[in-house]
Amino acid sequence: MSGMRTALASIGVFGLVGVGYGMWAIISPGEDRKREMLKNLPEANPVRMEETRKRNALVLQALKDAAETNENIARGYGGQK
């Protein structure tokens, strides 16, 4: 009886894995759709990428400046008391 239960459980697990894989295969986009999605990403636009690089450089510079100082710069931008 235990062997039959193990066999049925194994068949059930393999069945569920098969159903999951089948659903994934149906839902996943094809190669044409993948290429179209990659073309529409913001990183595909050179102007947008340059803006992102500049913004990242400014953020990193601000973090570097904050790391080099002992002041709490978060309080410095509000109203001075």
Side-chain angles (χ1 to χ4, degrees):
M1 204 60 170
S2 177
M4 187 171 197
R5 189 178 312 149
T6 302
L8 285 174
S10 298
I11 291 171
V13 167
F14 286 128
L16 286 174
V17 169
V19 168
Y21 178 75
M23 290 176 67
W24 176 77
I26 291 171
I27 293 172
S28 66
E31 286 297 318
D32 294 336
R33 177 73 177 130
K34 285 181 186 177
R35 273 189 243 122
E36 182 182 333
M37 289 168 51
L38 287 174
K39 279 194 271 184
N40 292 331
L41 286 175
E43 291 84 10
N45 184 349
V47 174
R48 178 99 185 239
M49 275 300 290
E50 188 58 34
E51 290 172 356
T52 302
R53 282 192 189 104
K54 287 180 183 177
R55 183 174 50 248
N56 287 346
L58 289 173
V59 169
L60 288 175
Q61 184 62 40
L63 288 172
K64 182 180 175 186
D65 293 345
E68 292 173 351
T69 184
N70 289 332
E71 296 177 22
N72 186 349
I73 63 170
R75 278 193 263 159
Y77 293 117
Q80 294 288 333
K81 292 183 180 179

